[in-house]
Amino acid sequence: MKVAKMPESTKALSIRTLAGAALLCTLAACGGGTQDDNGEAGRLICATGCKSSSTLASNKLRPSFVVVGDGKRVQAQAGFSSGSDLRFNVEIDGSDSLRLVTPKGTQGFHIPAGDVTTVIGDALFTLIAGAKPYLSEVDPPSGAAPMQFQFIRGSTTLVSSVELPAPFKITSPASGTTLAITARTLPVRLTATAPATKHETTTFNCTDVNGNTASGTPGLKVVPGSASADSTGVSYSLDIGAAVDGLSFSTTHPRGAVARCDVVLRAIVEAQGQADPQFESAQIFAQQIRSVSFAMR
């Protein structure tokens, strides 16, 4: 296996536990190897057995490449699949290697050890039930930053490129804000100005006046005509009332009016990239993700 060479002096049998409940899955081992004390494993772990990249033509590989930033750190993630299994099931080995090119230089990837979370976010959630993605930690840039994923085989380099959107903040709603439970719209303000796709995800945990509860991740639609933009960011309103109305409450007690909701809003600014055409198929994108928590009561 050849991904990124690590000094042998860093090898140890202890591991650093990783977090990320959204990415947690049950995995079966495909190979042994020691685990590094910096959270790196010696072998990839696949659900039903790993395929060797060196035995597959490049037009039989389906890579997924993503760069994701959460406001604290930036991480490049890469995974490969082949055959009828859409999950990550290919280990980079033999003379094959994978590297990342950033504005600050070139760096390698590693296989994360432990049960998952140095993995940021859930950008590749639908695929990691196979193997966790290869990771490469990136120094957070101050603005938009071009990135290249380079798959190297002998004298051939397959290049896939994407630009990480510039960092941004959610200035409205402010974290810790309390809104009226009767509010029907949620004003949102982002400092993001880049011409990239913007969308949101939400998590609701609500209680009615009689103690029934509801939780969910409903999508919030933008209120027609509410969007505007200027040189410092974008503003719009989300239909939060419809989201609360659509929640399914328990019926332990007679249903009553909604008394409180604890909400997490995640704003995502995403840019699509260009994958090398020699792959069978590929996806490549970059995301900046920010979140705030607030209450409605």
Side-chain angles (χ1 to χ4, degrees), residues 15 29 31 69 76 81 111 130 154 156:
I15 63 173
S81 58
I111 300 170
T156 301

Side-chain angles (χ1 to χ4, degrees), residues 49-243:
C50 297
K51 297 182 179 181
S52 298
S53 67
S54 58
T55 65
L56 299 167
S58 59
N59 63 3
K60 298 298 182 182
L61 292 173
R62 296 189 304 272
S64 294
F65 299 131
V66 63
V67 183
V68 58
D70 65 0
K72 297 179 180 178
R73 55 197 178 117
V74 174
Q75 188 177 80
Q77 303 174 9
F80 295 79
S81 58
S82 182
S84 59
D85 192 345
L86 299 180
R87 300 170 298 180
F88 295 156
N89 64 354
V90 176
E91 181 176 15
I92 306 302
D93 70 352
S95 62
D96 294 344
S97 62
L98 182 66
R99 67 188 181 192
L100 182 74
V101 180
T102 78
K104 292 188 176 182
T106 301
Q107 58 193 66
F109 284 78
H110 68 272
I111 300 170
D115 18 22
V116 206
T117 133
T118 14
V119 182
I120 299 176
D122 59 356
L124 299 176
F125 176 71
T126 58
L127 296 173
I128 66 156
K132 289 172 289 184
Y134 290 96
L135 304 182
S136 189
E137 303 293 336
V138 180
D139 288 337
S142 59
M147 305 280 178
Q148 282 188 356
F149 292 80
Q150 297 186 348
F151 178 80
I152 303 163
R153 174 172 287 175
S155 60
T156 301
T157 300
L158 277 58
V159 178
S160 300
S161 303
V162 69
E163 183 172 86
L164 177 68
F168 72 94
K169 295 180 180 179
I170 302 174
T171 57
S172 179
S175 189
T177 297
T178 298
L179 305 178
I181 193 65
T182 55
R184 302 300 297 176
T185 60
L186 175 67
V188 177
R189 174 74 179 177
L190 310 179
T191 61
T193 59
T197 301
K198 301 173 181 66
H199 58 276
E200 306 79 23
T201 65
T202 53
T203 300
F204 283 78
N205 288 287
C206 301
T207 306
D208 73 9
V209 293
N210 294 324
N212 296 303
T213 60
S215 61
T217 56
L220 274 67
K221 295 182 178 180
V222 175
V223 176
S226 68
S228 63
D230 56 35
S231 61
T232 62
V234 295
S235 299
Y236 51 94
S237 293
L238 297 174
D239 190 349
I240 198 168

